[in-house]
Amino acid sequence: MSFLTCLIKPLAYVSLPLVLMQSVAASSPTGRYYVRMTMYVGTLTFIATWGAAIAACMSIVGHRYDVNFVIARSFYYLASTVMNIKVEVEGTENLPSGSPAVLMVNHQSVLDILIVGKLMPRRAAIMAKSSIQFTPLGPFMILSGAIFVDRGNNARAVRSVKAAGEKMRNKRLGLWMFPEGTRHLSEQTDLLPFKKGGFHLATQADIPVLPIVVENYHWLYRKGFFGTGTIKVRVLPAVTTQGLKPEDTNDLVIRVRSQMLHTLREISVRVPPREEPSSSAVSPANSPAQSDVQKTPAVVEDVPAMSESGEAKPRAAQKAKEPSENGTEEEDEGMVLVGRPV
């Protein structure tokens, strides 16, 4: 009898939280949202905790650049099963094999970590703000070979970008980044202005840009709602940068953003347009369509402009940074991923 008690008690203690979570999830849509968010964050925390030990072991045996691939794939397979969310990728033939490329991906929410988990390349390192190395993530990132950029110092930022380009060429690595620079998720399918740091790197290093587009998953995840389903991702053909000069960067940004925006609207669930006010109530100069165009520039500076020699231009010689569409210049803690595409 005592044996059965010892066996049943632990099971009861373990199952109690699950029963409570199921009850909360069934009580209301809001309750279901918070339960699923807890499950998602819990899965991420579990993998991150396990990943610290993996990073230490793999660094010791000389495989530090495979750490992020192992952790990312582990997170995707576990989280996609727990959350019942899959990622379907089109255009995998466009992913370069063993050749350097700058992979540009639109950024929507914390759920993008699942996308990264699905597409993370082998031999990957992370480029992030230097301040992150002093956070709880710091030890893991150092062990996994992260490259830190000092955004508060123009000269150091430029040197970091140049070093990343040289590393990509020499070791035939790829760079994964979110060109919008911050999260943007709304019912309307659109992109924020792109920052130019990754494009400067691509033109300086003669490395192609590979656009990757994730559909607008507002239908699956948003504040107060966390559903299940399949997220579509499309990999577009690479855009060459051979022969381009620093002054051609703006045109490159606009071209890549235009391709990504067209694809985003093509693969996303169509949202019926909102009812417009009557023409008599809105003057042509202040029409919604024109307002959207005015406050959504295609390009935003995020690093100092560079001359052909690779030196940073003075701030006075650069264009003023324009605000993003949502009126904020909040910087994301999101990371730039450096690795060999697979």
Side-chain angles (χ1 to χ4, degrees):
M1 187 68 175
S2 59
F3 173 76
L4 291 176
T5 302
C6 293
L7 181 64
I8 294 173
K9 270 189 176 181
L11 293 176
Y13 287 134
V14 171
S15 61
L16 181 58
L18 299 177
V19 173
L20 290 176
M21 291 177 65
Q22 186 176 11
S23 299
V24 173
S27 63
S28 67
T30 302
R32 186 171 188 271
Y33 166 78
Y34 283 108
V35 167
R36 286 183 60 77
M37 179 58 72
T38 300
M39 293 167 58
Y40 184 76
V41 174
T43 303
L44 183 59
T45 303
F46 172 77
I47 293 295
T49 304
W50 172 72
I54 295 299
C57 295
M58 294 184 68
S59 296
I60 292 174
V61 298
H63 292 282
R64 66 188 310 188
Y65 293 115
D66 286 328
V67 169
N68 292 309
F69 171 78
V70 172
I71 302 303
R73 285 293 190 278
S74 300
F75 174 71
Y76 173 75
Y77 290 125
L78 179 60
S80 62
T81 301
V82 171
M83 306 303 298
N84 193 21
I85 298 176
K86 308 299 180 184
V87 177
E88 180 182 278
V89 183
E90 303 176 24
T92 53
E93 67 277 4
N94 293 322
L95 288 170
S97 177
S99 58
V102 179
L103 290 78
M104 300 282 185
V105 189
N106 55 309
H107 193 16
Q108 299 181 61
S109 75
V110 69
L111 202 58
D112 288 340
I113 301 175
L114 199 64
I115 313 297
V116 173
K118 175 70 173 181
L119 296 174
M120 168 67 77
R122 290 181 178 274
R123 290 185 50 79
I126 298 174
M127 180 182 287
K129 295 190 301 183
S130 59
S131 59
I132 294 181
Q133 62 185 312
F134 304 110
T135 69
L137 281 174
F140 167 77
M141 296 181 68
I142 293 171
L143 289 171
S144 62
I147 301 172
F148 298 102
V149 179
D150 187 353
R151 291 183 180 177
N153 185 298
N154 293 348
R156 291 178 186 172
V158 171
R159 286 199 298 268
S160 298
V161 170
K162 290 180 64 177
E166 292 172 3
K167 183 175 182 179
M168 291 169 66
R169 287 196 305 268
N170 296 337
K171 297 190 175 183
R172 303 188 65 78
L173 305 176
L175 173 73
W176 176 306
M177 68 174 298
F178 301 113
E180 294 169 284
T182 190
R183 295 176 291 272
H184 174 65
L185 179 63
S186 68
E187 185 178 4
Q188 303 304 315
T189 301
D190 202 358
L191 295 173
L192 292 179
F194 280 10
K195 298 180 182 294
K196 298 200 296 183
F199 295 93
H200 278 304
L201 187 153
T203 54
Q204 282 197 331
D206 287 329
I207 296 173
V209 172
L210 185 69
I212 300 177
V213 183
V214 181
E215 71 164 311
N216 182 352
Y217 52 71
H218 186 269
W219 60 271
L220 182 143
Y221 172 83
R222 57 185 179 273
K223 181 64 175 178
F225 180 79
F226 202 151
T228 63
T230 300
I231 298 174
K232 290 182 290 185
V233 178
R234 182 176 295 176
V235 182
L236 304 181
V239 178
T240 183
T241 61
Q242 288 188 351
L244 297 184
K245 300 179 180 179
E247 54 266 30
D248 299 321
T249 303
N250 269 359
D251 291 338
L252 176 64
V253 175
I254 293 171
R255 186 175 9 142
V256 172
R257 184 179 183 275
S258 177
Q259 291 181 6
M260 293 181 65
L261 182 58
H262 174 77
T263 303
L264 178 64
R265 290 173 174 168
E266 183 177 314
I267 67 175
S268 299
V269 176
R270 294 186 179 275
V271 177
R274 295 179 180 178
E275 185 176 351
E276 302 286 353
S278 63
S279 58
S280 59
V282 181
S283 63
N286 297 319
S287 65
Q290 292 183 358
S291 298
D292 287 344
V293 171
Q294 291 173 357
K295 61 182 182 180
T296 310
V299 183
V300 171
E301 284 283 3
D302 62 329
V303 296
M306 303 176 193
S307 63
E308 291 190 29
S309 63
E311 298 296 326
K313 292 183 179 179
R315 283 287 183 184
Q318 301 179 42
K319 294 184 179 179
K321 183 176 179 179
E322 299 182 48
S324 65
E325 180 187 39
N326 55 9
T328 180
E329 294 185 1
E330 170 194 3
E331 287 294 344
D332 197 334
E333 294 295 333
M335 301 151 187
V336 180
L337 310 174
V338 182
R340 183 180 63 198
V342 292

